[in-house]
Amino acid sequence: MPYLVVFVLDDPDRCREVLDAWEEAGAPGVTILDSSGLGRVRRADMRYDLPLIPSLGDLFRREESRHCTLFSVVKDQSQVDAIAEATQSVVGELDRKDTGLLFVIPVDRVYGLPKREGG
């Protein structure tokens, strides 16, 4: 059964490391989105009504509020386990604060995912 693996990375500076780890763990492809959580938005007092040309201070404040959300559809539980282990090898145990949140959803059907040779 295929699964959707989603990881909200707390520190976007570690994104490249996590991507490399996922690739090494067998992720067939990874989609990356810039994201921000409600807590960070409130702590940063982030505003979405910034002027067309914001100040440097506004830009830096926005940068501090970012997360990276990564997701990949994988073929089976062994790939899920490998990706979860690879993720924690980069960011540390996910039970710790400020590492991120990883969750997995079973996928009933997948369209457009190329089949690998021999697989």
Side-chain angles (χ1 to χ4, degrees):
M1 166 180 281
Y3 295 90
L4 174 65
V5 180
V6 179
F7 178 51
V8 181
L9 174 61
D10 200 58
D11 180 0
D13 292 335
R14 315 271 335 248
C15 187
R16 174 64 64 186
E17 292 174 81
V18 174
L19 289 171
D20 291 343
W22 278 33
E23 187 175 42
E24 191 172 309
V30 182
T31 299
I32 308 129
L33 302 172
D34 285 330
S35 57
S36 187
L38 178 61
R40 282 198 174 194
V41 168
R42 288 195 174 155
R43 280 194 306 270
D45 195 26
M46 194 170 186
R47 294 181 50 179
Y48 288 99
D49 59 343
L50 290 174
L52 184 58
I53 302 174
S55 71
L56 284 176
D58 291 332
L59 291 175
F60 287 127
R61 215 173 5 264
R62 273 194 79 134
E63 257 331 275
E64 292 171 0
S65 300
R66 290 183 345 140
H67 291 293
C68 286
T69 299
L70 291 70
F71 60 95
S72 182
V73 176
V74 300
K75 65 180 179 176
D76 58 31
Q77 185 63 49
S78 66
Q79 278 192 314
V80 169
D81 295 341
I83 288 170
E85 185 176 317
T87 302
Q88 292 186 95
S89 75
V90 173
V91 300
E93 294 295 320
L94 292 171
D95 292 343
R96 288 187 8 233
K97 185 177 178 174
D98 298 328
T99 53
L101 174 71
L102 188 143
F103 62 93
V104 180
I105 301 170
V107 176
D108 185 43
R109 294 181 193 171
V110 177
Y111 300 95
L113 190 64
K115 295 188 188 276
R116 291 185 175 177
E117 288 185 32

